[in-house]
Amino acid sequence: MKIGIINGSIRDGRAGAGVGEFVKEIADARGGDVNYELIDLKSFNLPLFTGDTLPMMMNKQYDTPEATAWSQAIDACDAYVVITPEYNHSVPGALKNAFDSLGAEWVGKVVGFVGYGAVGGVRAIEPWRTIVANFSMHDVRAEVNLNLFVDWNDEGFAPTDRRADEVNAVFDAVEELAAKLA
Ligand SMILES: Cc1cc2nc3c(=O)[nH]c(=O)nc-3n(C[C@H](O)[C@H](O)[C@H](O)COP(=O)(O)O)c2cc1C
């Protein structure tokens, strides 16, 4: 089983870089035969979706090399853990565009969320659950809510002790549900 850890922040100086490293380190320490891969949206330079054909109708054949690379990275995974910041009480636009840019690659797969923000990214994760429902994805209840006032200090990202267990709980839930569905 391959699980993609999607780092959904593309801002210069993003807090998400540290979150992505933290989540991937926990994945690597799990052992077992699940292959966790960090998929960093920023590295794909994905353009805004402007095509005249719905991505769900494109049979995974896209017009740009960036969209093709993104499609292949997402298609290769059986399930995902999505790391999402909260922007303006909702999902970040670049990551929403990254979901909008594909179709069949997402369908029916399992997804869990790691959010962050002033109140743990809860106002991003809740709309994500509605968005992924349109791809018939299966979201797990367990989530991680990293708090900018608790899990960061003057030096940067400093997750509190319990966060590792919370990330593992998301991994456990995603692995279990993906195995059941396989
Ligand atoms: C455009 C924008 C909107 C934001 N809106 C919210 C918000 O509604 N709620 C919140 O908790 N944090 C908000 N923030 C603060 C972010 O949680 C914080 O800047 C965080 O570091 C963003 O993640 P990033 O650095 O990986 O982009 C916002 C940040 C940006 C850039």
Side-chain angles (χ1 to χ4, degrees):
M1 184 190 300
K2 183 171 179 176
I3 297 180
I5 299 168
I6 300 175
N7 192 343
S9 170
I10 65 165
R11 250 177 12 100
D12 291 339
R14 59 200 170 143
V19 179
E21 287 166 18
F22 173 68
V23 172
K24 181 61 165 58
E25 277 169 21
I26 294 167
D28 290 342
R30 284 170 70 80
D33 55 4
V34 177
N35 175 17
Y36 281 93
E37 183 180 322
L38 187 60
I39 300 173
D40 190 351
L41 177 59
K42 186 175 175 67
S43 72
F44 287 83
N45 290 318
L46 190 66
L48 269 181
F49 174 71
T50 58
D52 64 355
T53 304
L54 271 60
M56 196 65 89
M57 308 300 288
M58 293 188 76
N59 199 24
K60 304 179 187 175
Q61 303 300 308
Y62 299 99
D63 297 336
T64 67
E66 292 87 354
T68 299
W70 176 243
S71 165
Q72 289 170 349
I74 296 304
D75 205 34
C77 299
D78 303 296
Y80 312 93
V81 172
V82 174
I83 301 173
T84 179
E86 175 181 316
Y87 287 176
N88 294 315
H89 288 199
S90 190
V91 303
L95 184 55
K96 176 63 160 56
N97 177 65
F99 269 77
D100 292 346
S101 295
L102 304 183
E105 296 87 342
W106 301 114
V107 171
K109 293 182 181 172
V110 175
V111 60
F113 295 98
V114 174
Y116 57 98
V119 289
V122 292
R123 293 170 298 209
I125 292 177
E126 287 303 309
W128 273 123
R129 294 187 185 282
T130 309
I131 291 163
V132 300
N134 193 49
F135 293 108
S136 301
M137 296 180 82
H138 304 275
D139 57 320
V140 301
R141 180 179 185 275
E143 64 183 51
V144 182
N145 302 113
L146 300 167
N147 189 303
L148 291 175
F149 303 109
V150 175
D151 296 296
W152 276 262
N153 61 27
D154 290 345
E155 275 87 55
F157 185 48
T160 45
D161 288 346
R162 67 191 174 130
R163 299 309 186 193
D165 286 347
E166 292 172 357
V167 172
N168 271 315
V170 172
F171 286 150
D172 288 345
V174 169
E175 287 182 22
E176 187 182 332
L177 187 53
K180 276 184 190 159
L181 290 173

